[in-house]
Amino acid sequence: MVSFTPTEDQQLLVDTIRRYADKNIRPAAHDVDEAEAPDMDVIQAGWQLGLIPSALPEELGGFGDMSAISGAMIAEELAFGDLSVAMHLLAPSLLAYPVTLFGTAAQRESLLPAFLEEEFTAATAAFLEPGMMFDPRAMQTTATPSGDGVKLNGVKACVPLADESRALLVYARNAESGDIEAYIVPDDTPGLLIQEREKLMGLRALPTFRVKFEDAQVPVSAKLGGAVGIDIQTILNRQNVALGALAVGVARAAFEYAREYAKERVQFGKAIAQNQSIAFMLAEMAIEVDATRLMVWESAWMLDQGQDATREAYLARQYADKMVLTVTDSGVQTLGGYGFIREYPAERWLRNGRGFPTFDGLAIL
Amino acid sequence: MTINFEIPENIQQAAQMVRYIAETTMRPYSRELDENEHARPTAFTEAMWPILSGQQQASLTKIEKQLEAQKNGDVAVKSDTKTRPSNHYLSMMYMVEILSWGDAGIYLCLPNSALGGFAVEAVGTPEQKLRLLRRFAEGEPSWGAMAMTEPNAGSDTSAIQTTAVFDEATNEWVLNGEKIFCTSGGLALDESDGLVIVWATVDRDAGRAGMKPFVVEAGTPGATVVKAEKKHGIRASDTVSIAFNDARIPADNVLGSPEVHTDKGTKGFKGAMATFDASRPLVASGALGIGRAAVEFVKEKFDEAGIEIPYGAPYHKLTAVQRDFMEMEAQLKAAYLLTLRSIVMLDEGTSNPLEASMAKVKAGKAITWVTQKAVELLGMMGYSREHLAEKWMRDAKINDIYEGTGQINTLIVARRLLGYTRNELA
């Protein structure tokens, strides 16, 4: 039976995160953006919600709910709070979820319990590469078989929390087979060089780094999934859905703020929302946010059903990339001059929204 | 509840049957009926009449049983709406989508009570339903229609000038005025024993509160089809003007109360508006069918030309044509999902005017764009009347116009989002 009603548990989860977003994330969002530094109290409060453990396997102490739909709802609500905080809190999942999906028993047992701890446990993945024309299926970072393992070489970009993560999941192209593989690289691996922190248009409260690999040798046991390896298409599909959901959250924040502002702002003796030019812009924003959410949910549902969601996830991501730019831009436009002032949140949402087509590898579910 | 996008098996099976009807009685006649504007799609109507009249018969039998039970004082029999299957509108959505995929103009010639039936079902008494809808259950094919629009009353329906005056001497209503853009009006009045629901005012000073729906049956003297429109698209659909010159109808042919309740505001008008909650998602469903036809045709031609659609490739690696095609698919998907949501809400019995208008706005605009893009991508194959792409583009456009233009529906969405009345956001 077709239905768009979340389960009671999902609704409870959404309500909980929304309260956290309203109470903790949003009041701090402006300041952390200006300071270009996270508020660790906010991050710790978010960690306490246990979002990542809920997806981890039961036999390791998690709740075993690796539902893409739940993941999409979590991502939307967090991003509604703030995208930097959302990506900070979810950075550990960039390692934890692929390990849950593809890891060998030994990899799961050695890596996953860390994410059940009380204190925020940083982890990350190195996926994106610098420059134009990034193609996840033709990565420049290589894994060259060498001795009992591989040597990693190349440069990764936009790696969140690289400086504090105990391990990085590094995606690389096998120099011999051409396959895209993932390697678990401990932070003390020789040849792993964490470069200076990046300065970005948005995501300013999220520390991201260039990461260099110069003949970084890792053993064969570091290859995620062992001899079987990973299915990169599944990874890409789950990234696309996660990024789509985050985009919906950012866009919804921009829409709701613009709507309330337009009702309060009086010019020419009436609320500016009483002009069709403004009201229609708001209506378009709402329609597109809803449409995108439904596309994200549909592809998430397909993932949960075990269907091939490649097409749907890809179309949803493309749609979301465009939608979030249009909606956040309309948000700035609705506020007029105030939209341009950093004291107001609209311009931050536009800066964050613009990044989505580039954010490959920055989220997964 | 849980989020689920699975279309039930029985609807998928029914869809296969409807697709067969579309492939055999619609597509083969699409071009011919488009070129011969006022010809009738007889293959289609003959195929559909036994099915639709059977459904109408079943619905009337149910009403008869209820009346019987009421007479016997048996209150345990559930009303019609409560026994309705919970995926009633979802089935309709799929049927409308596939029939429009077949041919949107021919689809509008479905031999049934149509929008007229909507009104009778919504506000008619059981006795009125039995008396008025019987013609759609037996005999020769019959059509129902709704006449609201007038030359000076389009989106602003409250501006209608057609009057209904009660003649106590003969116990009749007397209608005067002119209605335009009435879908299947000629089929209903001139070519079958059908009926038209005519919106008229019993009190011009009362505004919306004075507007009432009246049933004008075929053969009513003074009700004359005066013009058959020539249109941009959906040419197979019958669109007419009807003149009313002292057209007399029985007293019992008014739907709902004939009283003007100015204090209660706009009950009759609201009754008309409430039918939009169902009709707008269904119009959106029709748009989806045209959009899918265009997308499938382009895909077929791409396949023949060896143009692949590489889902998952980086955006910068896509050609302009691949990007266009994917955008067509994404727009169609977005419109489909918004429509599906508003339809599911109908089946769940949840109030959906916001979602219905959202779906209508999106589907009207998206499918207009999708079909225009299809003509462009196909080059001469798109522009030539040798193929149907150009026709689908012409057929698509009406979806952003009727059942509330894109702008009127956007206005409704905006008012609902902002919590504004019609006075606060005009």
Side-chain angles (χ1 to χ4, degrees):
Chain A
M1 204 65 209
V2 182
S3 165
F4 298 94
T5 312
T7 63
E8 273 181 42
D9 284 350
Q10 283 168 338
Q11 194 55 53
L12 207 65
L13 183 67
V14 165
D15 293 344
T16 305
I17 303 174
R18 191 169 298 176
R19 271 198 301 278
Y20 162 65
D22 284 336
K23 188 166 151 269
N24 302 79
I25 306 181
R26 294 192 138 219
H30 170 266
D31 291 354
V32 293
D33 185 70
E34 291 289 322
E36 301 203 43
D39 179 333
M40 287 315 291
D41 289 343
V42 172
I43 299 299
Q44 187 56 37
W47 186 254
Q48 302 281 344
L49 300 176
L51 302 178
I52 291 178
S54 71
L56 299 184
E58 279 178 285
E59 66 269 22
L60 294 175
F63 292 93
D65 178 27
M66 190 92 190
S67 153
I69 290 204
S70 300
M73 290 177 181
I74 291 169
E76 178 184 335
E77 291 309 319
L78 289 175
F80 174 76
D82 181 64
L83 188 60
S84 291
V85 172
M87 284 183 165
H88 194 134
L89 273 173
L90 297 176
S93 68
L94 298 175
L95 177 84
Y97 292 174
V99 167
T100 303
L101 288 166
F102 297 108
T104 62
Q107 287 167 341
R108 289 155 63 118
E109 281 162 26
S110 72
L111 291 163
L112 297 181
F115 301 106
L116 301 167
E117 285 170 18
E118 288 270 311
E119 291 292 311
F120 178 74
T121 308
T124 191
F127 188 88
L128 254 179
E129 295 176 348
M132 305 186 292
M133 310 292 177
F134 173 67
D135 182 348
R137 289 191 277 204
M139 286 178 178
Q140 300 300 303
T141 302
T142 53
T144 311
S146 156
D148 179 28
V150 296
K151 274 188 171 26
L152 296 169
N153 278 288
V155 186
K156 290 291 183 177
C158 212
V159 183
L161 315 187
D163 62 332
E164 54 179 301
S165 294
R166 282 184 253 168
L168 291 77
L169 187 66
V170 179
Y171 292 85
R173 181 169 46 86
N174 188 299
E176 286 182 358
S177 69
D179 292 343
I180 300 300
E181 298 169 339
Y183 291 90
I184 299 146
V185 181
D187 60 350
D188 56 359
T189 303
L192 162 64
L193 307 167
I194 312 286
Q195 310 281 286
E196 75 277 21
R197 178 162 168 200
E198 293 170 327
K199 294 178 176 174
L200 308 178
M201 182 191 196
L203 298 184
R204 291 169 78 128
L206 176 70
T208 69
F209 299 83
R210 282 289 159 87
V211 177
K212 254 190 185 167
F213 299 91
E214 292 180 355
D215 285 335
Q217 176 86 29
V218 290
V220 70
S221 61
K223 186 183 167 196
L224 183 58
V228 182
I230 58 169
D231 173 22
I232 188 65
Q233 193 58 55
T234 298
I235 299 270
L236 294 172
N237 292 347
R238 298 185 80 92
Q239 286 180 358
N240 283 337
V241 179
L243 288 165
L246 289 169
V248 171
V250 172
R252 197 184 94 216
F255 160 68
E256 289 188 8
Y257 192 91
R259 180 189 60 195
E260 295 315 307
Y261 177 87
K263 286 179 75 173
E264 281 166 22
R265 174 69 171 172
V266 173
Q267 290 289 281
F268 303 104
K270 62 177 180 181
I272 62 169
Q274 290 180 272
N275 299 303
Q276 285 195 355
S277 61
I278 302 290
F280 277 32
M281 191 159 58
L282 291 166
E284 285 295 328
M285 291 162 80
I287 291 169
E288 292 304 318
V289 169
D290 277 14
T292 312
R293 180 186 302 109
L294 294 172
M295 290 173 82
V296 167
W297 281 4
E298 188 199 32
S299 37
W301 175 79
M302 289 177 77
L303 287 175
D304 287 345
Q305 298 294 305
Q307 298 178 22
D308 179 10
T310 302
R311 173 177 174 269
E312 281 71 16
Y314 183 76
L315 292 178
R317 165 83 189 283
Q318 276 195 9
Y319 199 86
D321 285 350
K322 292 174 196 159
M323 178 281 295
V324 68
L325 178 63
T326 310
V327 169
T328 55
D329 180 77
S330 297
V332 169
Q333 193 65 25
T334 304
L335 270 72
Y338 293 115
F340 206 69
I341 303 295
R342 295 218 304 279
E343 204 180 319
Y344 290 79
E347 68 83 34
R348 184 173 76 246
W349 289 320
L350 175 56
R351 282 187 286 115
N352 288 339
R354 174 65 284 187
F356 275 93
T358 311
F359 287 158
D360 289 291
L362 279 180
I364 194 166
L365 42 70
Chain B
M1 292 301 274
T2 183
I3 289 165
N4 189 351
F5 291 82
E6 182 85 52
I7 302 302
E9 188 83 12
N10 63 328
I11 293 182
Q12 292 189 40
Q13 279 168 4
Q16 285 305 313
M17 270 176 51
V18 181
R19 188 185 164 98
Y20 175 76
I21 290 174
E23 281 172 343
T24 54
T25 72
M26 300 175 96
R27 283 287 178 97
Y29 304 95
S30 263
R31 178 53 68 188
E32 182 188 325
L33 288 166
D34 186 69
E35 302 276 335
N36 301 291
E37 187 151 17
H38 297 130
R40 299 296 182 219
T42 40
F44 173 69
T45 51
E46 280 167 14
M48 291 307 291
W49 176 246
I51 302 170
L52 296 172
S53 55
Q55 287 172 357
Q56 184 71 70
Q57 184 66 57
S59 146
L60 294 180
T61 305
K62 215 177 271 176
I63 295 170
E64 279 168 343
K65 278 188 183 153
Q66 278 162 16
L67 279 179
E68 191 80 9
Q70 274 168 16
K71 267 184 213 154
N72 301 336
D74 179 2
V75 288
V77 179
K78 286 183 186 164
S79 76
D80 181 34
T81 48
K82 279 180 187 160
T83 53
R84 179 175 279 164
S86 60
N87 55 25
H88 172 80
Y89 284 105
L90 187 59
S91 311
M92 279 181 83
M93 172 182 174
Y94 267 73
M95 191 178 88
V96 171
E97 196 270 353
I98 295 165
L99 292 177
S100 298
W101 172 90
D103 187 292
I106 298 176
Y107 151 66
L108 289 167
C109 296
L110 269 181
N112 64 3
S113 60
L115 284 176
F118 257 53
V120 177
E121 291 284 355
V123 280
T125 63
E127 290 76 11
Q128 280 176 319
K129 289 178 193 172
L130 290 176
R131 175 169 64 87
L132 296 168
L133 300 179
R134 177 74 63 198
R135 70 196 75 212
F136 302 110
E138 57 195 38
E140 293 297 305
S142 294
W143 283 265
M146 168 112 102
M148 172 75 92
T149 304
E150 297 180 5
N152 293 310
S155 296
D156 182 7
T157 50
S158 69
I160 59 167
Q161 297 293 306
T162 298
T163 54
V165 177
F166 191 64
D167 183 348
E168 281 182 26
T170 61
N171 203 31
E172 287 170 324
W173 289 98
V174 185
L175 301 186
N176 277 289
E178 188 192 357
K179 292 290 178 183
I180 63 169
F181 300 164
C182 175
T183 299
S184 298
L187 288 166
L189 293 184
D190 285 353
E191 296 172 45
S192 76
D193 178 30
L195 55 78
V196 181
I197 305 300
V198 178
W199 284 82
T201 177
V202 293
D203 180 358
R204 277 189 190 167
D205 296 334
R208 293 193 165 86
M211 287 170 60
K212 305 288 169 191
F214 295 88
V215 186
V216 175
E217 297 172 81
T220 302
T224 320
V225 174
V226 291
K227 183 186 181 190
E229 298 287 355
K230 296 173 183 169
K231 304 189 296 297
H232 179 67
I234 53 164
R235 293 186 186 176
S237 173
D238 170 46
T239 310
V240 302
S241 302
I242 307 171
F244 298 93
N245 294 303
D246 288 333
R248 290 175 170 273
I249 60 171
D252 191 34
N253 273 22
V254 61
L255 297 176
S257 159
E259 304 295 324
V260 178
H261 300 282
T262 39
D263 55 330
K264 286 257 174 117
T266 54
K267 215 173 164 197
F269 181 78
K270 276 187 180 154
M273 294 299 121
T275 64
F276 284 137
D277 296 348
S279 64
R280 284 178 173 146
L282 291 173
V283 165
S285 308
L288 297 173
I290 307 172
R292 184 163 63 87
V295 167
E296 285 179 1
F297 185 66
V298 171
K299 184 68 173 60
E300 188 186 312
K301 294 299 161 194
F302 275 17
D303 286 346
E304 288 170 20
I307 300 169
E308 286 182 21
I309 304 301
Y311 304 106
Y315 196 64
H316 58 79
K317 287 245 169 101
L318 302 178
T319 65
V321 160
Q322 289 167 335
R323 287 183 182 185
D324 277 346
F325 184 76
M326 288 182 180
E327 182 67 15
M328 288 166 68
E329 286 189 290
Q331 288 290 338
L332 181 61
K333 177 71 83 176
Y336 164 78
L337 290 172
L338 285 171
T339 306
L340 184 64
R341 178 177 67 169
S342 63
I343 287 280
V344 166
M345 291 175 79
L346 283 172
D347 277 334
E348 290 172 349
T350 313
S351 173
N352 76 339
L354 170 66
E355 291 79 6
S357 282
M358 279 185 162
K360 174 64 172 64
V361 169
K362 184 66 189 179
K365 197 188 297 187
I367 278 51
T368 296
W369 181 84
V370 163
T371 52
Q372 289 171 350
K373 187 51 93 174
V375 170
E376 178 198 331
L377 291 181
L378 292 164
M380 270 315 292
M381 233 182 326
Y383 201 67
S384 167
R385 270 152 56 204
E386 192 185 340
H387 298 284
L388 291 171
E390 65 82 29
K391 178 183 126 60
W392 291 328
M393 177 185 134
R394 287 184 287 108
D395 289 349
K397 184 63 206 172
I398 191 62
N399 292 284
D400 206 15
I401 298 172
Y402 65 12
E403 220 60 15
T405 62
Q407 288 64 40
I408 286 294
N409 277 294
T410 305
L411 189 58
I412 291 166
V413 171
R415 281 183 192 142
R416 297 235 162 219
L417 290 171
L418 290 160
Y420 281 161
T421 62
R422 67 174 64 249
N423 293 326
E424 288 166 319
L425 181 60

